[in-house]
């Protein structure tokens, strides 16, 4: 159950990131073009700032070019550091024991001083100075590791090495404003957190405290370092699901949300806070399996408010996925309280019903002029189609125990009633007068009827397989006709893709049972090539007609 929810979270989030790619490209284009417009006096700087404020964007900082000298000095510093470490390690047994612990320390201090000298005292060698500071940080790590080897520090205590390596180089990153060292320290703290948790089997509250109070505040405009630390925090929140560290996950979630409230221009804080709260909800379930987590509604509701207030389309996807996960976890808790077993058919059809109601929310949002109606429709469509595709496999339907889980069954019918009431309300208001909206209605009703047939008769595997595949064909035909009607090539092409996917999947599903696999691949390849050629030819003709009309 937990792995299934995590899979859905990751899969849907990755898929929905694709829907927002065009939106982000337009923003980047505007950020690149504004300085050119200002330079040519098409607009002034104040008007440029107004445009950026309208879309909640910041000015692009001039890109720091990595020229040949910078690249060579950086690579050279790393090679020298690794070379010294390997040289000492290869001759370790020949060096007297009392010298081993101290021989790298003078080298480290000398390199540190040289980095300072070339950065601030010697003019024109700042890049060399920054590279030498990074080299000194690498030397320090090598010295710590070798000292640990002298005193035979056990593997279970190797997190000490990462901590002793990371902490002393933070002042170098902060006071010398060295981005390389800051990034190195960020990586080291992430590794330290992982090793500390695995080796000690306890929650590491020190890690988020260090990151929130020291590393993130000193990152400032260093985007790479901020991203590393935010990913580290979200990863720490994720593994709380498996180690059952409920309060650590909640602490990380609250810290990320607090950082967004103080630094609203950094949107990734809110995205990561929302993901972290979802992981907290999963962790809560793994600990209190028979106790529904009603507390989750407070943070997700507040984040949803911030999403609309700050116009963050991408975060709405995470919020909706989080609410879906919470509903499933709540039903799973009730199922354990009442002693019901997990049932794949009722579980998948419930997700399909949630997809339909999310799609209806998009229709309502569009009708009333609310924000993000396309996000609701895209996510609802994706969820419903994915569930229908899964149910089209006979193997999935055969795994059903024949005993439908009443918790999911009643929840599905409850959601279905809500959907029917919404459809009736839209029909009375005249929403389905046009041909394109009637196509939407046909697809919605077909999905509802198909889900109801499968839920009420779970043991009829053959009938349910036919019903699910018929729903897939309806998905394809609806997209094709709807794309032609509204003259949207993307919608039309999506219908062609679904139809091709249906044919290929069913061929593999049936043909793989043949004993002669060579015949399966040859015939399948010919069918796919012919199908692709025919469909692509017809698709281009229809799209050309759309563009000329």
């Amino acid at each position: 159950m937990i792995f299934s929810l995590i899979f859905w979270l990751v899969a849907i989030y990755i898929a929905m990131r694709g829907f927002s790619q065009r939106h982000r490209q337009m923003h980047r284009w505007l950020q690149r073009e504004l300085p050119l417009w200002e330079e040519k006096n098409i607009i002034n700087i104040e008007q440029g700032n107004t445009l950026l404020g309208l879309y909640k964007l910041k000015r692009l900082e001039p890109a720091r070019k990595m020229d040949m000298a910078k690249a060579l000095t950086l690579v050279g510093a790393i090679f020298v550091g690794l070379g010294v470490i390997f040289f000492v390690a290869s001759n370790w047994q020949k060096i007297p024991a009392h010298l081993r612990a101290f021989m790298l320390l003078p080298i480290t201090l000398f390199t540190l001083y040289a980095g300072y000298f070339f950065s601030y005292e010697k003019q024109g060698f700042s890049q060399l100075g920054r590279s030498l500071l990074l080299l000194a940080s690498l030397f320090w790590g090598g010295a710590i590791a070798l000292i640990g080897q002298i005193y035979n520090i056990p593997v279970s205590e190797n997190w000490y090495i990462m901590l002793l390596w990371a902490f002393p180089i933070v002042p170098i990153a902060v006071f010398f404003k060295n981005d390389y060292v800051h990034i190195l320290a960020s990586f080291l703290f992430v590794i330290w957190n992982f090793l500390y948790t695995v080796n000690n089997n306890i929650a590491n509250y020190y890690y988020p405290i260090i990151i929130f109070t020291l590393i993130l505040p000193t990152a400032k405009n260093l985007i790479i370092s901020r991203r590393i630390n935010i990913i580290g925090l979200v990863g720490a929140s994720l593994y709380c699901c498996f180690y059952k560290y409920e309060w650590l996950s909640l602490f990380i979630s609250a810290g990320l949300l607090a950082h967004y409230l103080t630094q609203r221009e950094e949107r990734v804080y809110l995205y990561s806070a929302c993901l972290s709260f979802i992981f907290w909800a999963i962790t809560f379930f793994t600990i209190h399996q028979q106790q529904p987590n009603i507390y989750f509604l407070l943070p997700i509701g507040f984040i949803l408010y911030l999403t609309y207030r700050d116009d963050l389309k991408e975060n709405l996807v995470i919020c909706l996925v989080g609410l879906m996960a919470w509903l499933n976890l709540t039903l799973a808790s009730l199922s354990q309280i009442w002693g019901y077993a997990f049932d794949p058919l009722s579980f998948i059809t419930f997700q399909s019903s949630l997809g339909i109601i999310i799609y209806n929310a998009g229709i309502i949002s569009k009708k009333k002029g609310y924000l993000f109606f396309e996000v609701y429709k895209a996510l609802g469509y994706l969820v419903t189609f994915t569930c229908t595709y899964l149910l089209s496999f006979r193997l999935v339907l055969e795994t059903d125990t024949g005993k439908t889980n009443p918790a999911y069954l009643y929840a599905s019918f409850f959601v279905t009633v809500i959907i029917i009431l919404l459809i009736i309300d839209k029909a009375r208001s005249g929403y389905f007068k046009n041909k394109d909206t009637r196509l939407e209605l046909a697809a919605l009703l077909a999905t509802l009827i198909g889900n109801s047939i499968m839920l009420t008769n779970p043991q009829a595997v053959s009938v349910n397989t036919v019903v699910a595949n018929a729903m897939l064909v309806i998905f394809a035909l609806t997209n094709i006709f709807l794309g032609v009607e509204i003259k949207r090539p993307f919608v039309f092409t999506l219908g062609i893709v679904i139809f091709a996917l249906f044919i290929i999947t069913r061929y593999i599903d049936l043909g793989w049972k043949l004993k002669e696999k060579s015949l399966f691949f040859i015939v399948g390849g010919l069918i796919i090539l012919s199908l692709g050629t025919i469909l692509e030819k017809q698709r281009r003709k229809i799209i050309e007609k759309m563009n000329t009309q």
Side-chain angles (χ1 to χ4, degrees):
M1 180 69 182
I2 299 300
F3 291 102
S4 175
L5 285 171
I6 293 176
F7 168 78
W8 275 103
L9 289 173
V10 176
I12 294 176
Y13 176 68
I14 291 174
M16 288 305 297
R17 290 291 291 180
F19 288 104
S20 62
Q21 186 64 31
R22 184 178 178 184
H23 186 70
R24 293 194 299 273
Q25 289 176 350
M26 292 176 64
H27 281 178
R28 287 195 294 268
W29 175 83
L30 180 61
Q31 287 174 309
R32 289 193 302 267
E33 291 295 319
L34 270 180
L36 298 177
W37 298 346
E38 293 170 351
E39 184 180 348
K40 295 180 180 179
N41 295 321
I42 299 175
I43 60 174
N44 56 37
I45 295 178
E46 292 182 357
Q47 291 172 329
N49 292 332
T50 302
L51 284 172
L52 291 172
L54 179 64
Y55 294 99
K56 295 181 174 60
L57 300 175
K58 296 187 295 185
R59 286 188 178 273
L60 288 178
E61 297 181 1
R64 298 180 180 178
K65 296 182 179 179
M66 177 64 78
D67 56 25
M68 184 62 68
K70 292 181 180 180
L72 289 177
T73 54
L74 179 60
V75 174
I78 295 174
F79 268 63
V80 171
L82 293 175
V84 171
I85 292 172
F86 280 120
F87 174 77
V88 175
S90 61
N91 297 278
W92 195 243
Q93 300 300 327
K94 302 176 183 178
I95 301 172
H98 64 280
L99 292 178
R100 295 177 185 177
F102 302 103
M103 66 178 307
L104 275 181
L105 295 179
I107 299 175
T108 302
L109 293 174
F110 174 78
T111 309
L112 180 62
Y113 173 76
Y116 165 78
F117 177 80
F118 285 108
S119 295
Y120 297 98
E121 300 292 338
K122 190 71 172 177
Q123 298 296 326
F125 293 90
S126 58
Q127 180 59 36
L128 175 60
R130 284 195 291 269
S131 299
L132 288 173
L133 290 174
L134 174 62
L135 179 58
S137 302
L138 293 173
F139 280 164
W140 173 248
I144 294 297
L146 294 175
I147 291 171
Q149 191 179 33
I150 291 175
Y151 295 102
N152 297 318
I153 294 179
V155 176
S156 60
E157 303 294 335
N158 56 13
W159 58 270
Y160 276 119
I161 295 175
M162 292 299 163
L163 186 60
L164 292 174
W165 186 357
F167 251 121
I169 68 174
V170 172
I172 300 175
V174 175
F175 295 119
F176 295 149
K177 298 179 181 178
N178 193 300
D179 296 348
Y180 304 144
V181 178
H182 203 287
I183 292 172
L184 174 62
S186 300
F187 269 119
L188 294 175
F189 277 117
V190 172
I191 298 172
W192 164 67
N193 177 48
F194 173 76
L195 294 176
Y196 181 91
T197 303
V198 171
N199 293 331
N200 296 300
N201 200 26
I202 58 175
N204 186 3
Y205 286 92
Y206 305 109
Y207 173 68
I209 292 175
I210 293 171
I211 300 302
F212 286 136
T213 60
L214 180 62
I215 304 300
L216 284 177
T218 57
K220 294 182 180 179
N221 295 325
L222 186 54
I223 296 177
I224 297 176
S225 187
R226 285 206 306 270
R227 295 293 189 270
I228 292 171
N229 288 287
I230 291 172
I231 291 173
L233 288 168
V234 174
S237 183
L238 174 60
Y239 72 59
C240 288
C241 302
F242 306 98
Y243 286 90
K244 299 182 179 181
Y245 299 149
E246 175 188 355
W247 294 106
L248 175 60
S249 180
L250 184 59
F251 176 65
I252 294 173
S253 306
L256 289 168
L257 181 58
H259 266 65
Y260 175 74
L261 294 175
T262 57
Q263 303 178 38
R264 242 189 287 176
E265 70 279 359
E266 189 62 46
R267 298 179 176 185
V268 71
Y269 282 126
L270 189 63
Y271 304 155
S272 55
C274 194
L275 276 175
S276 186
F277 273 115
I278 296 173
F279 296 145
W280 166 65
I282 297 174
T283 307
F284 185 96
F285 172 78
T286 59
I287 299 172
H288 315 281
Q289 295 196 7
Q290 296 187 2
Q291 181 181 346
N293 185 5
I294 60 174
Y295 311 107
F296 176 75
L297 295 176
L298 293 175
I300 200 68
F302 181 61
I303 292 175
L304 195 58
Y305 159 74
L306 294 176
T307 300
Y308 272 89
R309 188 194 69 177
D310 298 337
D311 192 14
L312 303 178
K313 179 186 296 186
E314 293 85 355
N315 199 62
L316 178 61
V317 179
I318 309 176
C319 289
L320 293 175
V321 172
L323 287 171
M324 289 179 61
W326 173 78
L327 279 173
N328 281 280
L329 292 172
T330 302
L331 289 175
S333 297
L334 295 175
S335 297
Q336 292 201 17
I337 293 173
W338 297 330
Y340 300 141
F342 177 75
D343 169 45
L345 176 60
S346 59
F347 174 78
I348 297 175
T349 51
F350 177 67
Q351 313 313 312
S352 178
S353 300
L354 291 180
I356 298 173
I357 204 166
I358 292 173
Y359 188 91
N360 275 271
I363 295 176
I364 296 172
S365 296
K366 182 179 180 180
K367 184 178 178 182
K368 294 186 177 295
Y370 297 154
L371 292 174
F372 310 143
F373 72 88
E374 69 276 12
V375 175
Y376 286 102
K377 296 182 74 172
L379 180 61
Y381 182 93
L382 178 64
V383 172
T384 306
F385 168 75
T386 303
C387 293
T388 304
Y389 182 72
L390 291 175
L391 291 173
S392 67
F393 288 90
R394 187 181 182 90
L395 181 63
V396 175
L397 297 173
E398 286 177 344
T399 58
D400 188 75
T401 60
K403 297 180 179 179
T404 305
N405 186 321
Y408 283 98
L409 178 64
Y410 297 148
S412 296
F413 280 124
F414 176 74
V415 173
T416 301
V417 170
I418 294 176
I419 295 170
I420 292 173
L421 292 176
L422 290 174
I423 292 175
I424 293 173
D425 179 68
K426 289 195 288 288
R428 291 177 60 184
S429 64
Y431 176 79
F432 297 113
K433 288 182 178 180
N434 300 325
K435 187 176 180 180
D436 57 333
T437 54
R438 287 200 295 270
L439 287 170
E440 280 185 312
L441 175 62
L444 290 172
L445 292 177
T447 308
L448 285 175
I449 294 171
N451 287 342
S452 300
I453 291 174
M454 288 186 285
L455 273 178
T456 53
N457 195 18
Q459 295 178 341
V461 176
S462 299
V463 175
N464 290 339
T465 304
V466 173
V467 169
N469 282 278
M471 290 164 61
L472 271 185
V473 174
I474 292 173
F475 264 100
L477 295 177
T478 301
N479 276 273
I480 292 172
F481 293 135
L482 184 60
V484 173
E485 179 65 24
I486 63 177
K487 297 180 176 59
R488 292 282 298 275
F490 172 76
V491 178
F492 174 79
T493 303
L494 183 60
I496 297 295
V497 171
I498 294 174
F499 184 70
L501 179 65
F502 164 75
I503 294 177
I504 294 171
T505 304
R506 295 287 72 83
Y507 173 78
I508 294 175
D509 199 19
L510 298 174
W512 187 251
K513 299 176 183 178
L514 296 174
K515 294 182 178 180
E516 186 56 50
K517 292 296 186 293
S518 60
L519 182 63
F520 163 77
F521 284 109
I522 293 172
V523 176
L526 293 174
I527 292 175
I528 292 171
L529 288 172
S530 303
L531 180 65
T533 304
I534 295 171
L535 291 178
E536 180 62 18
K537 186 176 180 180
Q538 296 301 319
R539 185 186 72 85
R540 289 182 178 180
K541 286 183 180 180
I542 295 176
I543 290 178
E544 286 178 2
K545 290 182 180 179
M546 289 184 194
N547 295 330
T548 56
Q549 290 178 354

